[in-house]
Coordinates of all heavy atoms in Angstrom, one line a residue:
M1 N 18.2 -8.7 6.2 CA 17.2 -7.7 5.7 C 17.7 -6.3 6.1 O 18.2 -6.1 7.2 CB 15.8 -7.9 6.3 CG 14.9 -6.9 5.8 SD 13.1 -7.2 6.2 CE 12.8 -8.6 5.2
E2 N 17.6 -5.4 5.1 CA 18.1 -4.0 5.4 C 16.9 -3.1 5.6 O 15.9 -3.2 4.8 CB 18.9 -3.6 4.1 CG 19.5 -2.2 4.2 CD 20.0 -1.7 2.9 OE1 20.0 -2.5 1.9 OE2 20.3 -0.5 2.7
Y3 N 17.0 -2.2 6.6 CA 15.9 -1.3 6.8 C 16.3 0.1 6.3 O 17.3 0.6 6.5 CB 15.5 -1.2 8.3 CG 14.6 -2.3 8.7 CD1 15.1 -3.5 9.0 CD2 13.2 -2.1 8.7 CE1 14.3 -4.6 9.4 CE2 12.4 -3.2 9.0 CZ 12.9 -4.4 9.4 OH 12.0 -5.4 9.7
V4 N 15.3 0.7 5.5 CA 15.6 1.9 4.8 C 14.7 3.0 5.4 O 13.5 2.8 5.5 CB 15.3 1.9 3.3 CG1 15.6 3.2 2.6 CG2 16.1 0.7 2.7
K5 N 15.2 4.1 5.8 CA 14.4 5.2 6.3 C 13.6 5.9 5.2 O 14.2 6.2 4.2 CB 15.3 6.3 7.0 CG 14.5 7.5 7.5 CD 15.5 8.6 8.0 CE 14.7 9.8 8.2 NZ 15.5 11.0 8.5
V6 N 12.2 6.0 5.4 CA 11.4 6.5 4.3 C 10.6 7.7 4.7 O 10.1 8.4 3.9 CB 10.4 5.4 3.8 CG1 11.2 4.3 3.0 CG2 9.6 4.8 4.9
A7 N 10.4 7.9 6.1 CA 9.6 9.0 6.5 C 9.8 9.3 8.0 O 10.5 8.5 8.7 CB 8.1 8.7 6.2
Q8 N 9.3 10.4 8.4 CA 9.3 10.8 9.8 C 7.9 10.5 10.4 O 6.9 10.7 9.7 CB 9.6 12.3 10.0 CG 10.9 12.7 9.5 CD 11.9 12.9 10.6 OE1 11.8 13.8 11.4 NE2 12.9 12.0 10.6
V9 N 7.9 10.0 11.6 CA 6.6 9.7 12.3 C 5.7 10.9 12.3 O 4.5 10.8 12.0 CB 6.9 9.2 13.7 CG1 5.6 9.1 14.5 CG2 7.6 7.9 13.7
S10 N 6.3 12.1 12.4 CA 5.5 13.3 12.5 C 4.8 13.7 11.2 O 3.9 14.5 11.1 CB 6.4 14.5 13.0 OG 7.5 14.6 12.1
E11 N 5.3 13.1 10.1 CA 4.7 13.4 8.7 C 3.4 12.7 8.6 O 2.6 13.1 7.8 CB 5.6 12.8 7.6 CG 6.8 13.6 7.3 CD 7.6 12.8 6.2 OE1 7.0 12.5 5.2 OE2 8.7 12.4 6.5
L12 N 3.2 11.6 9.2 CA 2.0 10.7 8.9 C 1.1 10.5 10.1 O 1.3 9.6 10.9 CB 2.5 9.3 8.4 CG 2.4 9.1 7.0 CD1 3.6 9.6 6.3 CD2 2.3 7.6 6.7
G13 N 0.1 11.3 10.2 CA -0.9 11.1 11.3 C -1.7 9.9 11.0 O -1.7 9.4 9.9
S14 N -2.6 9.5 11.9 CA -3.5 8.4 11.7 C -4.4 8.6 10.5 O -5.0 9.7 10.3 CB -4.3 8.2 12.9 OG -5.1 7.0 12.8
G15 N -4.5 7.6 9.6 CA -5.3 7.7 8.4 C -4.5 8.4 7.2 O -5.1 8.4 6.1
A16 N -3.3 8.7 7.4 CA -2.5 9.4 6.3 C -1.7 8.3 5.6 O -1.4 7.3 6.1 CB -1.6 10.4 6.9
K17 N -1.3 8.6 4.3 CA -0.5 7.7 3.6 C 0.5 8.5 2.8 O 0.4 9.7 2.6 CB -1.4 6.9 2.6 CG -2.4 7.5 1.8 CD -3.3 6.5 1.1 CE -4.5 7.0 0.5 NZ -4.5 8.2 -0.3
K18 N 1.5 7.8 2.3 CA 2.6 8.4 1.6 C 3.2 7.4 0.6 O 3.2 6.2 0.9 CB 3.7 8.8 2.6 CG 4.9 9.5 2.0 CD 5.9 9.9 3.0 CE 7.1 10.7 2.2 NZ 8.2 11.1 3.1
K19 N 3.6 7.9 -0.6 CA 4.2 7.1 -1.6 C 5.7 7.2 -1.4 O 6.2 8.3 -1.5 CB 3.7 7.5 -3.0 CG 4.2 6.5 -4.0 CD 3.5 6.8 -5.4 CE 3.9 8.2 -5.9 NZ 3.4 8.4 -7.3
V20 N 6.4 6.1 -1.3 CA 7.9 6.2 -1.1 C 8.5 5.2 -2.1 O 7.8 4.3 -2.6 CB 8.3 5.8 0.3 CG1 7.7 6.8 1.3 CG2 7.8 4.4 0.7
S21 N 9.8 5.3 -2.3 CA 10.5 4.5 -3.2 C 11.5 3.7 -2.4 O 12.3 4.2 -1.6 CB 11.2 5.4 -4.2 OG 11.9 4.5 -5.1
V22 N 11.4 2.3 -2.5 CA 12.3 1.5 -1.7 C 12.8 0.4 -2.6 O 12.0 -0.4 -3.2 CB 11.5 0.8 -0.5 CG1 12.4 -0.1 0.3 CG2 10.9 1.9 0.4
G23 N 14.1 0.3 -2.7 CA 14.8 -0.8 -3.5 C 14.2 -0.8 -4.9 O 14.1 -1.9 -5.5
G24 N 14.0 0.4 -5.5 CA 13.5 0.5 -6.9 C 12.0 0.2 -7.0 O 11.5 0.3 -8.2
N25 N 11.2 0.0 -6.0 CA 9.8 -0.2 -6.0 C 9.0 1.0 -5.4 O 9.5 1.5 -4.4 CB 9.4 -1.5 -5.2 CG 10.0 -2.7 -5.8 OD1 10.1 -2.8 -7.0 ND2 10.3 -3.7 -5.0
E26 N 7.9 1.3 -6.0 CA 7.0 2.3 -5.4 C 6.2 1.5 -4.3 O 5.6 0.5 -4.5 CB 6.0 2.8 -6.4 CG 6.6 3.9 -7.2 CD 5.5 4.7 -7.9 OE1 4.3 4.2 -8.0 OE2 5.9 5.7 -8.5
V27 N 6.3 2.1 -3.1 CA 5.6 1.5 -2.0 C 4.7 2.5 -1.3 O 4.9 3.7 -1.2 CB 6.7 1.0 -0.9 CG1 6.1 0.5 0.4 CG2 7.6 -0.1 -1.6
L28 N 3.5 1.9 -0.9 CA 2.5 2.7 -0.2 C 2.7 2.5 1.3 O 2.6 1.4 1.8 CB 1.1 2.3 -0.6 CG 0.0 3.0 0.2 CD1 -0.2 4.4 -0.2 CD2 -1.4 2.2 0.0
L29 N 3.0 3.6 2.0 CA 3.1 3.6 3.5 C 1.9 4.3 4.1 O 1.5 5.3 3.7 CB 4.4 4.4 3.9 CG 4.6 4.6 5.3 CD1 5.1 3.2 6.0 CD2 5.8 5.6 5.5
A30 N 1.3 3.6 5.0 CA 0.1 4.1 5.6 C 0.1 4.0 7.2 O 0.6 3.0 7.7 CB -1.2 3.4 5.1
N31 N -0.5 5.0 7.8 CA -0.7 4.9 9.2 C -2.2 4.6 9.5 O -3.1 5.4 9.2 CB -0.3 6.3 9.8 CG -0.6 6.4 11.4 OD1 -1.3 5.5 11.9 ND2 0.0 7.4 12.0
I32 N -2.4 3.4 10.1 CA -3.7 3.0 10.5 C -3.8 2.9 12.0 O -3.2 2.0 12.6 CB -4.0 1.7 9.8 CG1 -4.0 1.9 8.3 CG2 -5.4 1.2 10.2 CD1 -4.3 0.7 7.4
E33 N -4.5 3.9 12.5 CA -4.7 4.0 14.0 C -3.4 3.8 14.7 O -3.3 3.1 15.7 CB -5.7 3.0 14.4 CG -7.0 3.3 13.8 CD -8.2 2.4 14.4 OE1 -7.9 1.6 15.2 OE2 -9.3 2.7 13.9
G34 N -2.4 4.5 14.3 CA -1.1 4.6 15.0 C -0.1 3.5 14.6 O 1.1 3.5 15.1
S35 N -0.5 2.5 13.8 CA 0.5 1.5 13.3 C 0.8 1.8 11.8 O -0.1 2.1 11.1 CB -0.2 0.1 13.5 OG -0.4 -0.2 14.8
F36 N 2.0 1.5 11.5 CA 2.5 1.8 10.1 C 2.5 0.5 9.3 O 3.0 -0.5 9.8 CB 3.8 2.5 10.1 CG 3.8 3.8 10.7 CD1 4.2 4.0 12.0 CD2 3.3 4.9 10.0 CE1 4.1 5.3 12.7 CE2 3.2 6.2 10.6 CZ 3.6 6.4 12.0
Y37 N 2.1 0.6 8.0 CA 2.1 -0.5 7.1 C 2.6 -0.2 5.8 O 2.4 1.0 5.4 CB 0.7 -1.2 7.0 CG 0.1 -1.6 8.3 CD1 -0.8 -0.8 9.0 CD2 0.4 -2.9 8.8 CE1 -1.3 -1.2 10.3 CE2 -0.1 -3.3 10.0 CZ -1.0 -2.5 10.7 OH -1.5 -2.9 11.9
A38 N 3.2 -1.1 5.0 CA 3.7 -0.8 3.7 C 3.4 -2.0 2.8 O 3.6 -3.1 3.1 CB 5.2 -0.6 3.8
I39 N 2.9 -1.6 1.6 CA 2.6 -2.6 0.6 C 3.0 -2.0 -0.8 O 3.2 -0.8 -0.9 CB 1.1 -3.0 0.5 CG1 0.2 -1.8 0.2 CG2 0.7 -3.7 1.8 CD1 -1.3 -2.2 -0.1
D40 N 3.1 -2.8 -1.8 CA 3.4 -2.3 -3.1 C 2.3 -1.3 -3.5 O 1.2 -1.5 -3.2 CB 3.5 -3.4 -4.2 CG 4.8 -4.0 -4.3 OD1 5.8 -3.3 -3.9 OD2 4.9 -5.2 -4.7
N41 N 2.8 -0.2 -4.1 CA 1.8 0.9 -4.5 C 1.1 0.7 -5.8 O 0.1 1.2 -6.1 CB 2.5 2.2 -4.6 CG 1.7 3.4 -4.8 OD1 0.7 3.7 -4.1 ND2 1.8 4.0 -5.9
T42 N 1.6 -0.3 -6.6 CA 1.1 -0.4 -8.0 C 0.1 -1.5 -8.0 O 0.4 -2.6 -7.8 CB 2.3 -0.7 -9.0 OG1 3.2 0.3 -8.8 CG2 1.7 -0.7 -10.4
C43 N -1.2 -1.2 -8.5 CA -2.2 -2.2 -8.6 C -1.8 -3.2 -9.7 O -1.4 -2.8 -10.7 CB -3.5 -1.5 -8.9 SG -4.9 -2.7 -9.2
P44 N -1.9 -4.5 -9.3 CA -1.5 -5.5 -10.3 C -2.5 -5.6 -11.5 O -2.1 -6.3 -12.5 CB -1.5 -6.8 -9.5 CG -2.4 -6.5 -8.3 CD -2.4 -5.1 -8.1
H45 N -3.6 -5.0 -11.5 CA -4.5 -5.0 -12.7 C -3.9 -4.2 -13.8 O -3.3 -4.7 -14.7 CB -5.9 -4.5 -12.3 CG -6.8 -4.5 -13.5 ND1 -7.7 -3.5 -13.7 CD2 -7.0 -5.4 -14.5 CE1 -8.3 -3.7 -14.9 NE2 -7.9 -4.8 -15.3
M46 N -4.0 -2.9 -13.7 CA -3.5 -2.0 -14.8 C -2.7 -0.8 -14.3 O -2.6 0.2 -14.9 CB -4.6 -1.5 -15.7 CG -5.3 -2.6 -16.6 SD -6.7 -2.0 -17.5 CE -5.9 -0.9 -18.7
G47 N -2.0 -1.2 -13.1 CA -1.0 -0.2 -12.7 C -1.5 1.1 -12.0 O -0.8 2.0 -11.9
G48 N -2.8 1.0 -11.5 CA -3.3 2.1 -10.7 C -2.4 2.4 -9.5 O -1.9 1.5 -8.9
S49 N -2.2 3.7 -9.2 CA -1.4 4.1 -8.0 C -2.3 4.1 -6.8 O -3.2 4.9 -6.7 CB -0.8 5.5 -8.2 OG -0.3 5.9 -7.0
L50 N -2.1 3.1 -5.9 CA -3.0 3.0 -4.7 C -2.8 4.2 -3.9 O -3.8 4.5 -3.1 CB -2.6 1.7 -4.0 CG -2.9 0.4 -4.8 CD1 -2.5 -0.8 -4.0 CD2 -4.3 0.4 -5.3
Y51 N -1.7 4.9 -3.9 CA -1.6 6.2 -3.2 C -2.7 7.2 -3.5 O -3.1 7.9 -2.7 CB -0.2 6.8 -3.5 CG 0.0 8.2 -2.9 CD1 0.1 8.3 -1.5 CD2 -0.1 9.3 -3.7 CE1 0.1 9.6 -1.0 CE2 0.0 10.6 -3.1 CZ 0.2 10.7 -1.8 OH 0.2 12.0 -1.2
E52 N -3.2 7.1 -4.8 CA -4.3 8.0 -5.2 C -5.6 7.5 -4.8 O -6.6 8.1 -5.0 CB -4.3 8.1 -6.8 CG -2.9 8.4 -7.4 CD -2.4 9.8 -7.2 OE1 -3.2 10.7 -6.9 OE2 -1.2 9.9 -7.2
G53 N -5.7 6.3 -4.2 CA -6.9 5.7 -3.8 C -7.3 6.1 -2.4 O -6.6 6.7 -1.7
K54 N -8.5 5.7 -2.1 CA -9.1 6.1 -0.8 C -8.8 5.0 0.3 O -8.8 3.8 0.0 CB -10.6 6.2 -0.9 CG -11.3 6.9 0.2 CD -12.8 7.2 -0.2 CE -13.5 7.6 1.1 NZ -14.9 7.3 1.1
L55 N -8.4 5.5 1.5 CA -8.2 4.5 2.6 C -9.4 4.4 3.4 O -10.0 5.5 3.8 CB -7.0 5.1 3.4 CG -6.2 4.2 4.2 CD1 -5.5 3.1 3.6 CD2 -5.1 5.1 4.9
E56 N -9.9 3.2 3.6 CA -11.1 3.0 4.4 C -10.8 1.9 5.4 O -10.7 0.7 5.1 CB -12.3 2.5 3.5 CG -13.0 3.7 2.9 CD -14.3 3.2 2.1 OE1 -14.6 2.0 2.1 OE2 -14.9 4.1 1.5
G57 N -10.6 2.3 6.7 CA -10.2 1.3 7.7 C -8.8 0.8 7.3 O -7.9 1.6 7.1
T58 N -8.7 -0.5 7.2 CA -7.5 -1.1 6.8 C -7.3 -1.4 5.4 O -6.4 -2.0 4.9 CB -7.2 -2.4 7.6 OG1 -8.3 -3.4 7.2 CG2 -7.2 -2.2 9.1
N59 N -8.4 -0.9 4.6 CA -8.4 -1.2 3.2 C -8.0 0.0 2.3 O -8.4 1.2 2.7 CB -9.8 -1.6 2.7 CG -10.1 -3.0 3.3 OD1 -9.3 -3.8 3.7 ND2 -11.4 -3.2 3.4
V60 N -7.4 -0.2 1.1 CA -7.2 0.9 0.2 C -7.9 0.4 -1.1 O -7.8 -0.7 -1.5 CB -5.7 1.2 0.0 CG1 -4.9 0.0 -0.7 CG2 -5.5 2.5 -0.8
I61 N -8.5 1.5 -1.7 CA -9.3 1.2 -2.9 C -8.6 1.7 -4.1 O -8.3 2.9 -4.2 CB -10.7 1.8 -2.8 CG1 -11.4 1.3 -1.5 CG2 -11.6 1.5 -4.0 CD1 -12.6 2.1 -1.1
C62 N -8.3 0.9 -5.1 CA -7.7 1.3 -6.4 C -8.5 2.4 -7.0 O -9.7 2.2 -7.2 CB -7.4 0.2 -7.3 SG -6.6 0.7 -8.8
P63 N -7.9 3.6 -7.4 CA -8.7 4.6 -8.0 C -9.1 4.3 -9.4 O -10.0 5.0 -9.9 CB -7.7 5.8 -8.0 CG -6.3 5.2 -7.9 CD -6.5 3.9 -7.2
R64 N -8.6 3.3 -10.0 CA -8.9 3.0 -11.4 C -10.2 2.2 -11.6 O -11.1 2.6 -12.3 CB -7.7 2.5 -12.2 CG -6.6 3.5 -12.3 CD -5.6 3.2 -13.3 NE -6.1 3.2 -14.6 CZ -5.4 2.7 -15.7 NH1 -4.2 2.4 -15.5 NH2 -6.0 2.8 -16.8
H65 N -10.2 1.0 -11.0 CA -11.4 0.1 -11.2 C -11.9 -0.5 -9.9 O -12.7 -1.4 -9.9 CB -11.0 -1.0 -12.2 CG -10.3 -0.5 -13.5 ND1 -9.0 -0.7 -13.7 CD2 -10.8 0.3 -14.4 CE1 -8.7 -0.1 -14.8 NE2 -9.8 0.5 -15.3
G66 N -11.4 0.1 -8.8 CA -12.1 -0.2 -7.5 C -11.7 -1.5 -6.8 O -12.3 -1.9 -5.9
S67 N -10.5 -2.2 -7.3 CA -10.1 -3.3 -6.5 C -9.7 -2.9 -5.1 O -9.2 -1.7 -4.9 CB -8.9 -4.0 -7.1 OG -9.3 -4.7 -8.3
V68 N -9.9 -3.7 -4.1 CA -9.7 -3.3 -2.7 C -8.6 -4.3 -2.1 O -8.7 -5.5 -2.3 CB -11.0 -3.5 -1.8 CG1 -10.7 -3.1 -0.4 CG2 -12.1 -2.6 -2.5
F69 N -7.6 -3.6 -1.5 CA -6.5 -4.4 -0.9 C -6.4 -4.1 0.6 O -6.6 -2.9 1.0 CB -5.2 -4.1 -1.6 CG -5.2 -4.3 -3.0 CD1 -5.6 -3.3 -3.9 CD2 -4.8 -5.5 -3.5 CE1 -5.6 -3.6 -5.3 CE2 -4.8 -5.8 -4.9 CZ -5.2 -4.8 -5.8
D70 N -6.0 -5.1 1.4 CA -5.8 -4.9 2.8 C -4.4 -4.3 3.0 O -3.4 -5.0 2.6 CB -6.0 -6.2 3.6 CG -5.9 -6.1 5.1 OD1 -5.2 -5.1 5.5 OD2 -6.5 -6.9 5.8
V71 N -4.2 -3.1 3.6 CA -2.9 -2.5 3.7 C -2.1 -3.2 4.8 O -0.9 -3.2 4.7 CB -3.1 -1.0 4.1 CG1 -1.8 -0.3 4.3 CG2 -3.9 -0.2 3.0
T72 N -2.7 -4.0 5.7 CA -1.9 -4.6 6.7 C -1.2 -5.9 6.2 O -0.3 -6.3 6.9 CB -2.8 -5.0 7.9 OG1 -3.7 -6.0 7.6 CG2 -3.6 -3.8 8.4
N73 N -1.6 -6.4 5.1 CA -0.9 -7.6 4.6 C -0.9 -7.7 3.1 O -0.4 -8.7 2.6 CB -1.7 -8.9 5.2 CG -3.1 -8.9 4.8 OD1 -3.6 -8.3 3.9 ND2 -3.9 -9.7 5.7
G74 N -1.4 -6.8 2.3 CA -1.4 -6.8 0.9 C -2.4 -7.7 0.2 O -2.4 -7.7 -1.0
K75 N -3.2 -8.4 1.0 CA -4.1 -9.3 0.3 C -5.3 -8.6 -0.3 O -5.8 -7.6 0.1 CB -4.7 -10.3 1.4 CG -3.6 -11.1 2.0 CD -4.1 -12.5 2.4 CE -3.0 -13.4 3.0 NZ -1.9 -13.6 2.1
V76 N -5.8 -9.3 -1.4 CA -7.0 -8.8 -2.2 C -8.2 -9.0 -1.3 O -8.4 -10.1 -0.8 CB -7.2 -9.6 -3.5 CG1 -8.4 -9.1 -4.2 CG2 -6.0 -9.4 -4.4
V77 N -9.0 -7.9 -1.1 CA -10.2 -8.0 -0.3 C -11.4 -8.2 -1.3 O -12.3 -9.0 -1.1 CB -10.4 -6.8 0.6 CG1 -11.7 -6.8 1.3 CG2 -9.2 -6.6 1.6
E78 N -11.3 -7.4 -2.4 CA -12.4 -7.5 -3.4 C -11.8 -7.1 -4.7 O -11.0 -6.2 -4.8 CB -13.4 -6.5 -2.9 CG -14.8 -6.7 -3.6 CD -15.8 -5.7 -3.1 OE1 -15.9 -5.4 -1.9 OE2 -16.5 -5.1 -3.9
R79 N -12.2 -7.8 -5.8 CA -11.8 -7.4 -7.1 C -12.6 -6.3 -7.7 O -13.8 -6.3 -7.5 CB -11.8 -8.7 -8.1 CG -10.8 -9.7 -7.6 CD -11.2 -11.1 -8.1 NE -11.4 -11.2 -9.5 CZ -12.1 -12.1 -10.1 NH1 -12.7 -13.1 -9.5 NH2 -12.2 -12.2 -11.5
G80 N -12.0 -5.4 -8.4 CA -12.8 -4.3 -9.0 C -13.5 -4.8 -10.2 O -13.4 -6.0 -10.6
T81 N -14.2 -3.8 -10.9 CA -14.8 -4.2 -12.1 C -14.5 -3.3 -13.3 O -14.3 -2.1 -13.1 CB -16.4 -4.2 -12.0 OG1 -16.8 -3.0 -11.3 CG2 -16.9 -5.4 -11.1
L82 N -14.4 -3.8 -14.5 CA -14.2 -3.1 -15.7 C -15.2 -3.6 -16.7 O -15.2 -4.8 -16.9 CB -12.7 -3.3 -16.1 CG -12.3 -2.6 -17.4 CD1 -12.5 -1.1 -17.3 CD2 -10.9 -2.9 -17.7
F83 N -16.0 -2.8 -17.3 CA -17.0 -3.2 -18.2 C -17.9 -4.3 -17.6 O -18.1 -5.4 -18.3 CB -16.4 -3.7 -19.6 CG -15.6 -2.6 -20.3 CD1 -14.3 -2.8 -20.6 CD2 -16.2 -1.3 -20.5 CE1 -13.6 -1.9 -21.2 CE2 -15.5 -0.4 -21.1 CZ -14.1 -0.6 -21.5
L84 N -18.2 -4.2 -16.4 CA -19.1 -5.2 -15.6 C -18.5 -6.5 -15.4 O -19.1 -7.5 -14.9 CB -20.5 -5.4 -16.3 CG -21.3 -4.1 -16.6 CD1 -22.5 -4.5 -17.5 CD2 -21.7 -3.4 -15.4
I85 N -17.2 -6.6 -15.7 CA -16.5 -7.9 -15.5 C -15.5 -7.7 -14.3 O -14.8 -6.7 -14.3 CB -15.8 -8.4 -16.8 CG1 -16.8 -8.7 -17.8 CG2 -14.9 -9.6 -16.5 CD1 -16.3 -8.9 -19.2
K86 N -15.4 -8.7 -13.4 CA -14.4 -8.6 -12.4 C -13.0 -8.7 -12.9 O -12.7 -9.6 -13.7 CB -14.6 -9.7 -11.4 CG -15.9 -9.6 -10.6 CD -15.7 -8.8 -9.3 CE -17.0 -8.8 -8.5 NZ -16.9 -7.6 -7.5
V87 N -12.2 -7.7 -12.5 CA -10.8 -7.8 -13.0 C -9.9 -8.8 -12.3 O -10.3 -9.2 -11.2 CB -10.2 -6.3 -12.8 CG1 -11.0 -5.3 -13.6 CG2 -9.9 -5.9 -11.4
K88 N -8.8 -9.1 -13.0 CA -7.9 -10.1 -12.4 C -6.8 -9.4 -11.5 O -6.1 -8.5 -12.1 CB -7.2 -10.9 -13.4 CG -8.1 -12.0 -14.0 CD -7.3 -12.9 -14.9 CE -8.2 -13.9 -15.6 NZ -7.7 -14.4 -16.8
V89 N -6.7 -9.6 -10.3 CA -5.7 -9.1 -9.4 C -5.1 -10.1 -8.5 O -5.7 -11.2 -8.4 CB -6.2 -7.9 -8.5 CG1 -6.4 -6.6 -9.3 CG2 -7.5 -8.3 -7.8
H90 N -3.9 -9.9 -8.0 CA -3.3 -10.8 -7.1 C -2.9 -10.1 -5.8 O -2.8 -8.8 -5.9 CB -2.2 -11.6 -7.7 CG -1.1 -10.8 -8.3 ND1 -0.2 -10.1 -7.5 CD2 -0.9 -10.5 -9.6 CE1 0.6 -9.4 -8.3 NE2 0.2 -9.6 -9.5
D91 N -2.6 -10.8 -4.8 CA -2.1 -10.1 -3.5 C -0.9 -9.3 -3.8 O 0.0 -9.7 -4.7 CB -1.8 -11.2 -2.5 CG -3.0 -11.9 -2.0 OD1 -4.2 -11.5 -2.3 OD2 -2.9 -13.0 -1.4
L92 N -0.7 -8.3 -3.1 CA 0.5 -7.4 -3.2 C 1.5 -7.8 -2.2 O 1.2 -8.3 -1.1 CB 0.0 -5.9 -2.9 CG -0.9 -5.3 -3.9 CD1 -1.6 -4.1 -3.4 CD2 -0.2 -5.0 -5.2
K93 N 2.7 -7.4 -2.5 CA 3.8 -7.7 -1.5 C 3.7 -6.7 -0.4 O 3.4 -5.5 -0.6 CB 5.2 -7.4 -2.2 CG 6.4 -7.6 -1.4 CD 7.6 -7.5 -2.4 CE 8.9 -7.3 -1.6 NZ 9.4 -8.3 -0.8
S94 N 3.9 -7.2 0.8 CA 3.9 -6.3 2.0 C 5.2 -6.3 2.6 O 6.0 -7.3 2.5 CB 2.7 -6.7 3.0 OG 3.1 -7.6 3.8
Y95 N 5.6 -5.2 3.2 CA 7.0 -5.0 3.7 C 6.9 -4.8 5.2 O 6.0 -4.1 5.7 CB 7.6 -3.7 3.1 CG 7.7 -3.7 1.6 CD1 6.6 -3.5 0.8 CD2 8.9 -4.1 1.0 CE1 6.7 -3.5 -0.6 CE2 9.0 -4.1 -0.4 CZ 7.9 -3.9 -1.2 OH 8.0 -3.9 -2.5
P96 N 7.9 -5.3 5.9 CA 8.0 -5.0 7.4 C 8.3 -3.6 7.6 O 9.1 -3.0 6.9 CB 9.1 -5.9 7.8 CG 9.9 -6.3 6.7 CD 9.0 -6.2 5.5
V97 N 7.7 -3.0 8.6 CA 7.9 -1.6 8.9 C 8.3 -1.5 10.4 O 7.7 -2.2 11.3 CB 6.6 -0.8 8.8 CG1 6.8 0.8 9.1 CG2 6.1 -0.9 7.3
K98 N 9.3 -0.7 10.7 CA 9.6 -0.5 12.1 C 9.9 1.1 12.4 O 10.3 1.8 11.4 CB 10.8 -1.3 12.6 CG 12.2 -1.0 12.0 CD 13.2 -1.9 12.7 CE 14.6 -1.6 12.1 NZ 15.6 -2.4 12.7
V99 N 9.7 1.4 13.6 CA 9.9 2.8 14.0 C 11.1 2.9 14.8 O 11.2 2.1 15.8 CB 8.6 3.4 14.7 CG1 8.9 4.8 15.2 CG2 7.4 3.4 13.7
E100 N 12.0 3.7 14.5 CA 13.2 4.0 15.4 C 13.3 5.4 15.7 O 13.6 6.3 14.8 CB 14.5 3.5 14.6 CG 14.9 2.1 14.9 CD 16.2 1.7 14.2 OE1 17.0 2.6 13.8 OE2 16.4 0.5 14.1
G101 N 13.0 5.7 16.9 CA 12.9 7.1 17.3 C 11.9 7.9 16.5 O 10.7 7.5 16.5
A102 N 12.3 8.9 15.7 CA 11.4 9.7 14.9 C 11.2 9.1 13.5 O 10.5 9.7 12.8 CB 11.8 11.1 14.9
D103 N 12.0 8.1 13.2 CA 12.1 7.6 11.8 C 11.2 6.4 11.6 O 11.1 5.5 12.4 CB 13.5 7.2 11.5 CG 14.4 8.4 11.5 OD1 14.0 9.5 11.4 OD2 15.6 8.2 11.8
I104 N 10.5 6.4 10.4 CA 9.8 5.2 9.9 C 10.8 4.4 8.9 O 11.2 5.1 8.0 CB 8.5 5.5 9.3 CG1 7.7 6.3 10.2 CG2 7.8 4.2 8.8 CD1 6.4 6.9 9.5
M105 N 11.0 3.1 9.1 CA 11.9 2.3 8.3 C 11.1 1.2 7.6 O 10.3 0.6 8.3 CB 13.0 1.8 9.1 CG 13.4 2.6 10.3 SD 14.9 3.6 10.0 CE 16.1 2.5 9.7
I106 N 11.5 0.9 6.4 CA 10.9 -0.2 5.7 C 11.9 -1.2 5.4 O 13.1 -0.9 5.0 CB 10.2 0.2 4.4 CG1 8.9 1.1 4.7 CG2 9.8 -1.0 3.5 CD1 8.2 1.5 3.5
G107 N 11.6 -2.5 5.6 CA 12.6 -3.6 5.4 C 12.6 -4.1 4.0 O 11.6 -4.3 3.5
V108 N 13.8 -4.2 3.4 CA 13.9 -4.7 2.0 C 14.9 -5.9 2.1 O 15.9 -5.8 2.8 CB 14.3 -3.7 1.0 CG1 13.1 -2.8 0.6 CG2 15.4 -2.8 1.5
E109 N 14.7 -6.9 1.2 CA 15.6 -8.0 1.2 C 16.9 -7.6 0.6 O 17.0 -6.8 -0.4 CB 15.0 -9.2 0.3 CG 13.5 -9.5 0.7 CD 13.4 -10.5 1.8 OE1 14.4 -11.3 1.9 OE2 12.4 -10.6 2.5
Ligands
FES201 S1 -5.8 -0.7 -12.1 FE1 -6.5 -1.2 -10.1 S2 -8.4 -2.2 -10.4 FE2 -7.7 -1.8 -12.4

């Protein structure tokens, strides 16, 4: 696995998020109480950018139809709704993150 530098620790305080590009994928990087996590940024329903969504605790809420994903592991917490019907979503890929000195690195295969 190769680790790619995506941000500086000083850029992302607790509760902050950043959209980064890793291995051709858009990835959401978030600082949750001092720990960094990375999951795919694109909602599997209709492509909402989770970076534009709200972070609540360890969850991020899709800004388009409200599906909720756990940023620590990419798992679906709650499906959003469109026209009163629950949308179809699946778990997101999550990426290993490590901190080396002042750098935040994301692992890609
Ligand atoms: S695009 Fe994310 S819930 Fe519809």
